[in-house]
Amino acid sequence: MEALKKEEIYTIDDIYALPDGERAELIDGKIYYMDPPSRRHQDIIFSLSRRIADYIDSNDGNCKVYLAPFAVFLNENDTNYVEPDISVICDSGKLTDKGCNGAPDWIIEIVSPGSRQMDYFTKLFKYRTAGVKEYWIVDPEKDSVMVYQFEEEMMEQYSFGDDVPVGIYEGFSVKVQ
């Protein structure tokens, strides 16, 4: 009888020990390596984050917008570390020099060919259970935006060009192009 192979559990220290320039995320002790983003990916991140930050600033909001690479430590343990494409954090008490301790209020992930499974399944479950209020999956290949409002247990799908309402800001919507 063959012995069961034990899967190695990685920690945040393993993430920090990666060679310079190599990026990865850590979910439940498993490392997921990340490919460099495409130009379109970066265009979408910049456009969305600029609109969100402008809205917050013009309404004297207290939330902050952070772009990847920005460390989010979802749980109290050392086996979860993610770098969402866009994180919106409204509780400044969660912010440290290293990143965000706990769940951001709103996370947006831009789907890349190599991140599809992560964004639609692994991160969806992880963000919901960690306490993220709103999660958007922006899929340039499908020209779609999936919006999850976890507190209301709602999910809606939009197309690029639609006005997508923002759950954490009543009366604010964003057009994803």
Side-chain angles (χ1 to χ4, degrees), residues 67-127:
L67 310 180
F70 176 75
V72 173
F73 308 95
L74 286 172
N75 307 95
E76 297 288 323
N77 62 38
D78 67 348
T79 59
N80 287 286
Y81 167 99
V82 292
E83 293 182 357
D85 289 318
I86 300 173
S87 300
V88 179
I89 297 130
C90 300
D91 177 358
S92 63
K94 291 181 178 181
L95 296 170
T96 69
D97 282 344
K98 286 191 170 202
C100 177
N101 290 319
D105 295 84
W106 180 15
I107 288 177
I108 300 173
E109 294 284 9
I110 316 305
V111 177
S112 300
S115 74
R116 185 166 298 282
Q117 182 82 17
M118 281 285 290
D119 295 337
Y120 277 102
F121 299 103
T122 309
K123 287 183 175 180
L124 172 66
F125 176 77
K126 196 70 199 170
Y127 292 160

